[in-house]
Amino acid sequence: MRIDQALREARSRLRASPSAALDAECLLAHVLAQSRTYLFTWPERTLNESQQRHFLELLARREAGEPVAYLIGEREFYGRRFRVSPDTLIPRPDTETLIDAVLERMPESPLRAVDLGTGTGAIGITLALERPAWSVLLVDISEAALQVAKDNARTLGATVEMVGGTWLAALSGPFELIVSNPPYVDPEDPHLGQGDVRHEPRTALVSAEQGLADIRVLADQAMTRLVEGGWLMLEHGYDQGEAVRTLLTEREYREVETLRDLGGQDRVTFGQR
């Protein structure tokens, strides 16, 4: 099978996906250990028997709904490739809004930061690489997720510390910055049965009280762990901006503000102790 033939077949089989062409290219590039550019530079090159078998296996799994990121084992975030597994959420471009918010508002000079519910480590590792003078701690309740984060930190050359635990319960602080992409999806949200989300760890997605339970816990705990003037910065659902602002204001956070993602949706809310 030639490369161009493989791509045509894959696009046809994945036509139900809104990203059929991209899915096909990512899977084939992974199988060939080449870039996507290579696929269009050498369309006439043929797959050997092993490559063809592997590609068709991945294609069948993608047809069944498995996320491309889990099939190839990685996802790009903030210009870097992070290893992912079914034990972690898949990093998304929306979360880059949180990174931008932090980098625009925090100094480059040394400070203590913690990334809660780190998963792949995408947030904390990115901050450590973008701000080498910072001391960054990654926290997750899942040992499997922490192992993925450790692998990413080692591969990307990030100096971070890691600890297992539930939010800030085991940490005394103090910190100048607390960031998190916590579970914030309502358990009754119909999107949980659609797309890639079906395959991601439910514990990293779902939170009680219309998706706000964990955010409430973080807001309460952070107030006792932040230095005076320190910041809590949270990712949340597109329809939760007003609720999270109210929640932080009620707890006497100052300078409370919500930022929108590239799609124009409320995505990040922060407040200062």
Side-chain angles (χ1 to χ4, degrees):
M1 179 185 292
R2 288 167 42 126
I3 285 176
D4 52 1
Q5 293 171 329
L7 288 176
R8 279 198 301 272
E9 177 175 342
R11 285 193 292 265
S12 175
R13 289 177 57 175
L14 298 176
R15 58 185 175 275
S17 169
S19 56
L22 179 60
D23 293 354
E25 292 163 19
C26 289
L27 292 177
L28 186 54
H30 171 69
V31 166
L32 298 177
Q34 299 286 351
S35 68
R36 286 167 54 210
T37 301
Y38 176 92
L39 305 179
F40 301 100
T41 305
W42 307 104
E44 75 285 356
R45 295 201 171 173
T46 59
L47 284 64
N48 62 38
E49 183 177 344
S50 175
Q51 290 168 337
Q52 182 171 324
R53 182 170 58 253
H54 187 197
F55 179 61
L56 293 176
E57 288 172 355
L58 293 181
L59 187 57
R61 291 169 64 185
R62 180 56 184 154
E63 276 188 287
E66 287 190 56
V68 171
Y70 289 160
L71 293 175
I72 67 176
E74 63 180 22
R75 171 62 65 87
E76 183 174 321
F77 180 81
Y78 221 77
R80 301 178 178 92
R81 292 204 163 273
F82 283 80
R83 181 191 160 215
V84 302
S85 85
D87 297 304
T88 68
L89 290 183
I90 300 167
R92 289 171 168 80
D94 288 343
T95 303
E96 295 186 1
T97 303
L98 178 57
I99 300 294
D100 289 337
V102 171
L103 297 181
E104 289 169 7
R105 288 163 178 78
M106 303 298 293
E108 296 187 21
S109 54
L111 60 76
R112 292 153 294 180
V114 58
D115 171 20
L116 299 171
T118 193
T120 63
I123 294 172
I125 290 171
T126 297
L127 293 178
L129 292 171
E130 295 292 324
R131 295 289 184 264
W134 291 5
S135 175
V136 181
L137 176 65
L138 312 186
V139 178
D140 206 291
I141 194 172
S142 166
E143 286 298 325
L146 280 178
Q147 186 57 58
V148 174
K150 289 176 183 177
D151 291 345
N152 282 323
R154 181 173 59 252
T155 300
L156 294 169
T159 300
V160 294
E161 294 183 49
M162 302 191 192
V163 63
T166 303
W167 303 135
L168 289 156
L171 308 178
S172 58
F175 301 101
E176 283 78 20
L177 172 67
I178 296 173
V179 296
S180 183
N181 176 15
Y184 55 72
V185 180
D186 187 320
E188 303 302 318
D189 193 318
H191 293 96
L192 290 169
Q194 303 170 9
D196 289 355
V197 173
R198 293 172 295 165
H199 297 267
E200 294 183 275
R202 192 60 59 100
T203 54
L205 289 166
V206 172
S207 188
E209 301 172 28
Q210 291 77 51
L212 295 171
D214 286 290
I215 290 176
R216 286 194 174 95
V217 171
L218 289 174
D220 288 336
Q221 292 184 351
M223 186 56 81
T224 66
R225 308 302 201 283
L226 285 168
V227 301
E228 184 69 28
W231 290 90
L232 172 65
M233 298 194 178
L234 301 168
E235 179 174 336
H236 52 71
Y238 73 93
D239 58 351
Q240 294 174 324
E242 182 177 358
V244 177
R245 288 195 301 275
T246 298
L247 191 151
L248 294 186
T249 301
E250 289 176 346
R251 287 157 177 77
E252 300 185 346
Y253 284 87
R254 298 177 286 113
E255 306 295 331
V256 175
E257 183 180 348
T258 297
L259 300 179
R260 294 182 174 180
D261 58 29
L262 293 176
Q265 306 278 11
D266 285 355
R267 187 59 58 188
V268 171
T269 295
F270 50 84
Q272 187 176 36
R273 179 178 184 277

